[in-house]
Amino acid sequence: MSKKRWQVFPGKNRFFCGGRIIMAKQINVFFVTLVLLLGVCVLFFVFDCEYLSEKVHWLVPVIAGVLLAFTLLFLFRTSFSDPGILPRATGDEALFNDRGADNNVDLTQSSANFRNPPRTKDVQVNGETVKLKYCFTCKIFRPPRASHCSMCDNCIERFDHHCPWVGNCVGKRNYRYFYLMIVTITILCIYVLAFSIAHIVMLSREKENTLITAMSETPASVIEALIAFFAVWSVLGLAGFHSYLAGTNQTTNEEIKGSWAQRHGEVVRNPYTTNNCCGNFTKILCGPSYTSLLRLREDKNKEKRDMEEVKKKIEKLMFEQQNNSNNQSPKYREIWNSGYSGSLDELAAS
C-alpha cells in the first residue's frame, strides 16, 4: 500500500490525525502551556466565579469563558497548522540548483567539469536589494524572509521564530494566530489576576477580617493570583514586542539580526512595510490565508504517476504529429524538454 506524503516527510515533525495536524518533534513544553492555562482557569471558575457572579455581576464568568475559548482557539490554530514549510527540492530540482543554475549548463556532463554556482542571489523587492540564500539541507534558494529552523529541520516562509510554548514554528501561515493568542492570553491573565485579588479583598471586608485570614479562606484565589502575576509580565512584554513587529512589518528573526538596521551609516529601508502602522497591522492580521505547499495527505507517488501520464500523452501527440506531417513536431519536443507540469487538458488544448 502506497504511503502518504506525511508518512515519509523528511523534516523533524510529528503528525496526528492522518497528517491533518503538524507539530514540532519536541512538544513537552506545549503541554506545560496547556496545563497552566487550563489549570488556572479551572480554579478560577470553580472557586471564584460563583462568588463574583453574585457579588459583582453574572458577566464575570461569561467574559472569562469567552477569553479562554478564544485563547485556546488561537493556541491550537498556531500549534496544529503548517507554519509555512517550503517543500524540499526533488532529485532533478536539487541537481539543477547544485549544478545547473545557469541555463546554458549541460546537466549530462561529468561533475568534474562543474564549478558550483553562487550560493546567494540578489533580487529586487520594492526597490531594495534582498539576498536569497541557498539551503544545503533543502537544496533550494530560500525566498525572501524565509529561514531554516534547526529544531524542525525545515525552511519556513516568513520565519519569525521557533516557539516551544506552542510546540511549533511561527511563520507565514500561523503568525496572525500566534499574535492574537498572546494578546488574548495577556488580557486573560490580567482579568484573572484582577478578579482573584478582588475576591480576596471583598472577603476580607465582608467579614471584617485581615487579608491573611481571607487568603486562608480561599487559597485557590491566591494560587491563581500568583501564577497570573508572574505570567502576565512575560506575556505582556511579548505582546508589546510583537505589536511593535506587526506595526513595522518585521519578524523576530529580522529584528534580532538587524536586517533593516542602519549599517555603516547607510539607512536600509524595510521593503515590506507600508510605512503606516495601521496598514501593516491590516496586512498581517487581515491579509489572505495562505495554502500549504506540502500536500501532506496526497499519495507520495501521485506526482510521479502524473508525470508518467503526461509523458505518455506527449509521446502520443508527437507520434500523431509525425504521422500527419512526416516531421516530428518541435512544439511538443520543446514542451517535453522544458519539463512540462501542467494538466493534460491544458496540454491537449495547446
Side-chain angles (χ1 to χ4, degrees), residues 52-81:
L52 292 169
S53 61
E54 292 178 1
K55 301 296 183 180
V56 181
H57 202 283
W58 61 269
L59 279 175
V60 171
V62 173
I63 294 173
V66 171
L67 286 172
L68 176 61
F70 275 106
T71 300
L72 290 174
L73 173 66
F74 295 137
L75 172 62
F76 292 149
R77 188 66 176 82
T78 304
S79 301
F80 295 163
S81 61

Side-chain angles (χ1 to χ4, degrees), residues 121-315:
K121 291 182 179 180
D122 290 340
V123 296
Q124 292 291 316
V125 178
N126 295 328
E128 291 290 329
T129 301
V130 177
K131 284 189 178 298
L132 306 186
K133 294 183 179 180
Y134 184 78
C135 178
F136 288 91
T137 302
C138 301
K139 303 295 184 182
I140 60 172
F141 280 96
R142 295 192 290 259
R145 314 190 88 176
S147 185
H148 191 89
C149 174
S150 58
M151 299 292 292
C152 296
D153 199 26
N154 296 309
C155 281
I156 311 293
E157 276 194 281
R158 199 187 182 277
F159 177 74
D160 192 87
H161 68 291
H162 180 91
C163 182
W165 295 100
V166 301
N168 206 347
C169 284
V170 178
K172 182 178 182 178
R173 296 191 68 246
N174 64 352
Y175 180 79
R176 75 180 65 182
Y177 303 107
F178 172 79
Y179 176 76
L180 292 171
M181 181 204 69
I182 59 177
V183 170
T184 53
I185 202 171
T186 300
I187 298 171
L188 181 61
C189 282
I190 295 172
Y191 190 87
V192 170
L193 175 62
F195 279 104
S196 298
I197 294 174
H199 185 190
I200 297 171
V201 173
M202 290 172 69
L203 270 180
S204 66
R205 291 182 178 179
E206 187 179 83
K207 299 183 179 181
E208 297 182 354
N209 293 329
T210 61
L211 283 175
I212 301 298
T213 305
M215 289 166 65
S216 65
E217 291 183 10
T218 175
S221 299
V222 178
I223 296 173
E224 300 158 27
L226 285 174
I227 296 176
F229 175 78
F230 288 109
V232 74
W233 295 110
S234 58
V235 294
L236 182 61
L238 193 62
F241 175 65
H242 280 278
S243 295
Y244 159 73
L245 293 179
T248 56
N249 202 340
Q250 295 186 81
T251 66
T252 301
N253 189 48
E254 291 169 346
E255 175 67 17
I256 291 174
K257 290 182 176 180
S259 300
W260 316 121
Q262 186 171 338
R263 300 175 187 171
H264 309 295
E266 180 182 353
V267 178
V268 181
R269 187 180 68 86
N270 180 0
Y272 306 105
T273 181
T274 62
N275 296 318
N276 180 282
C277 181
C278 292
N280 288 329
F281 268 104
T282 302
K283 186 176 180 180
I284 291 173
L285 300 179
C286 304
S289 296
Y290 300 99
T291 304
S292 175
L293 302 176
L294 297 180
R295 299 177 294 169
L296 292 171
R297 291 176 51 75
E298 286 187 3
D299 190 326
K300 73 180 184 70
N301 294 321
K302 181 178 182 297
E303 187 174 349
K304 182 179 179 181
R305 290 197 302 266
D306 289 345
M307 287 303 299
E308 289 175 353
E309 189 177 353
V310 168
K311 181 180 178 181
K312 291 178 181 179
K313 185 70 174 179
I314 290 177
E315 289 174 346

